[in-house]
């Protein structure tokens, strides 16, 4: 095996870069998912308030209907509270916040590249090290962001369960 064969590496930089951008897109999608549940909550609360107002203005002679209505409203409000809690966890990780990783400061990356060019004997060696550095950076960010998005997805699913 000669020296050139040892330095060859699988070019997966584009793959890791795409993973990074995909997780950033998923982040944006999760940020936009909050609108539909809020619309559903508003509708459910409006229907409950309408039903309560109707029965309060026109009291039923049957006590068990009023009791059943109060139980139904209580269960509905409990489900909405459960759902809102998980929606908040999905949206902002209530009471904390989600901390996504970014690829890095462009100036630092550029300086690292310049240093590699000066330190390495050949441009190919510098390019290989730079690609490894970028792959590591993209993979680290994509992995962290993937785990956050996975958690957000689980919380959003819990929120949907509370609605239904």
């Amino acid at each position: 095996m000669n020296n050139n064969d040892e330095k060859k590496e699988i070019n997966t930089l584009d793959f890791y870069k795409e993973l990074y951008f995909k997780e950033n897109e998923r982040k944006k999608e999760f940020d936009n998912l909050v609108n539909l549940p809020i619309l559903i909550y508003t509708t459910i609360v409006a229907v409950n308030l309408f039903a309560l107002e109707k029965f309060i203005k026109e009291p039923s002679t049957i006590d068990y209907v009023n009791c059943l209505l109060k139980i139904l409203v209580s269960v509905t409000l409990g489900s909405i509270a459960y759902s809102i809690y998980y929606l908040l966890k999905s949206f902002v990780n209530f009471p904390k916040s989600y901390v996504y990783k970014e690829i890095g400061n462009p100036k630092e990356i550029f300086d690292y590249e310049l240093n590699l060019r000066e330190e390495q004997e050949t441009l190919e060696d510098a390019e290989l090290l730079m690609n490894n550095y970028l792959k590591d950076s993209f993979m680290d960010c994509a992995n962290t962001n993937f785990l956050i998005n996975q958690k957000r997805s689980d919380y959003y699913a819990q929120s949907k369960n509370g609605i239904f």
Side-chain angles (χ1 to χ4, degrees):
M1 182 182 275
N2 64 29
N3 196 19
N4 287 337
D5 289 339
E6 291 176 17
K7 295 191 180 200
K8 287 186 179 179
E9 185 174 297
I10 299 172
N11 187 2
T12 54
L13 179 61
D14 288 337
F15 172 74
Y16 294 120
K17 193 183 328 180
E18 286 301 316
L19 284 177
Y20 171 77
F21 289 123
K22 179 184 176 204
E23 293 307 320
N24 282 348
E25 285 299 315
R26 285 184 65 206
K27 172 189 173 189
K28 291 176 188 175
E29 289 172 12
F30 280 116
D31 289 344
N32 294 327
L33 281 176
V34 75
N35 296 328
L36 181 62
I38 289 175
L39 178 66
I40 293 171
Y41 301 145
T42 304
T43 305
I44 291 171
V45 169
V47 168
N48 278 299
L49 288 176
F50 175 76
L52 279 176
E53 183 181 353
K54 180 135 177 101
F55 279 103
I56 289 173
K57 284 185 178 179
E58 300 171 16
S60 175
T61 56
I62 307 169
D63 287 334
Y64 71 87
V65 172
N66 284 335
C67 183
L68 182 64
L69 181 65
K70 289 177 183 176
I71 290 171
L72 182 62
V73 168
S74 297
V75 168
T76 302
L77 292 177
S79 294
I80 288 175
Y82 173 87
S83 182
I84 287 174
Y85 171 76
Y86 281 104
L87 183 65
L88 286 172
K89 290 288 281 183
S90 172
F91 190 63
V92 292
N93 198 24
F94 179 77
K96 300 180 236 174
S97 182
Y98 291 111
V99 180
Y100 282 87
K101 280 194 172 180
E102 299 295 329
I103 191 64
N105 181 335
K107 176 73 171 131
E108 289 176 9
I109 295 172
F110 181 72
D111 290 343
Y112 180 77
E113 180 184 6
L114 291 179
N115 286 339
L116 284 177
R117 287 179 185 216
E118 292 173 6
E119 292 173 358
Q120 300 304 312
E121 292 179 20
T122 66
L123 188 60
E124 289 81 20
D125 291 341
E127 184 178 6
L128 180 66
L129 290 172
M130 185 65 191
N131 282 341
N132 286 337
Y133 172 77
L134 289 173
K135 278 196 282 188
D136 289 342
S137 297
F138 278 123
M139 196 60 227
D140 182 44
C141 292
N143 184 57
T144 299
N145 297 348
F146 171 81
L147 295 173
I148 291 171
N149 286 334
Q150 186 177 29
K151 189 184 300 184
R152 289 181 80 179
S153 177
D154 292 342
Y155 288 146
Y156 190 76
Q158 289 289 81
S159 176
K160 288 193 315 188
N161 286 339
I163 290 174
F164 297 110

